[in-house]
Amino acid sequence: MPGAFSRLRLFAFLFAFLFAACAVSVVPPALAEATPAMRERLVFAGPAASVTNPLIPMLESGALDDLARSTEFILWNNPDQLRALVIQGQVDFIALPTNVAANLYNRGVPLTLLNVSTWGALWMVSRTPGLQTLADFKGKEVAIPFRNDMPDIIFDFLAEEQGLDPQRDFQPRYTATPLDAVQLLITRRVDHALLAEPAVSMVLRKTQSFPVSLVAPELYRSVNLQEQWGKLLGIEARIPQAGLAALGAARLDVELSARVEQAYAQSSRWCNEHPLPCGEMVARRIDLLDAQAVADSLQFQSPHYASAAQARPELETFFRLLLQRQPANLGGKLPEDGFYGKASAQK
């Protein structure tokens, strides 16, 4: 199949994120609430990952038509583009990993995190069935993207919590991108890899389709790192991985931010209830993604959703782990109160 791997290339920059709809509802309904002043344009941005899924139906449903005369979506492809969009003030709202949001905030960027919508999407993928914990991978070679960054930090932490030495008890094979890890799996150069959704669902589908199946191994979705996180820490089996942030002037407009966050929350719920229609809608906007793989990925992610203020305790637990291991990853400190948006979609 030409371009069998091209749709996966954006996963290099995320960890690090949708329909079987009933016939009467193919897009989430627009919100009917008091509206802020009409703007000429609102610009949204996000990566080809789960955190972006709610943005697409939200914009296409017309939920924000009473907020702006036009809306625009920008796909960010890499960390440099993300930083440029934010620092140059090109977007009003952006979907991004929570640690990146905290890093930007700690470096003086006018940013407020509104919510956390992606609560972990990390899985081990293996050619061997039946592996249930990281300890089951002891002595094995494992492809791991992004050395000294997430998800490598999460893998090392969970391994150490089980009494394992990540360097001595495993044979880590670090890759520059998740796509490199995927290619190592498919070409049989490694038997195990750490990947994030929707890359997991993409590779599982690709290796079951012609012509890739002629050369690719049979792969299995193996250890759920979110479950390991919950068991080892004695908390909920979820990692506050990514969400939506308001930037610049938009973050100062409390009513606007609240409306956008509520519309995004409603769209997120709709995507979880209608994974395939949502996947089809996302794939039409982001042609690097496969609709069925997006839908698959939603079935394996937590539907939990929280405003940033509600998620703060779990965010700070997560951030403290990062500070212990890679403080520069977070900008060297916990973000202050201003980082946590007050809007709540749970009302």
Side-chain angles (χ1 to χ4, degrees), residues 61-96:
S61 72
L64 305 181
D65 285 356
D66 60 342
L67 300 182
R69 291 181 173 84
S70 67
T71 57
E72 179 182 352
F73 171 73
I74 298 173
L75 180 71
W76 61 262
N77 298 335
N78 57 64
D80 289 338
Q81 185 181 5
L82 163 61
R83 285 190 292 269
L85 289 170
V86 170
I87 293 172
Q88 296 172 15
Q90 297 180 41
V91 295
D92 300 298
F93 298 90
I94 190 164
L96 75 176

Side-chain angles (χ1 to χ4, degrees), residues 25-44:
S25 176
V26 294
V27 292
L31 296 174
E33 297 187 3
T35 60
M38 176 70 72
R39 292 176 174 241
E40 284 300 317
R41 184 175 70 149
L42 285 175
V43 181
F44 298 80

Side-chain angles (χ1 to χ4, degrees), residues 294-305:
V294 172
D296 290 348
S297 72
L298 282 171
Q299 311 307 308
F300 291 95
Q301 296 181 68
S302 170
H304 183 65
Y305 184 101

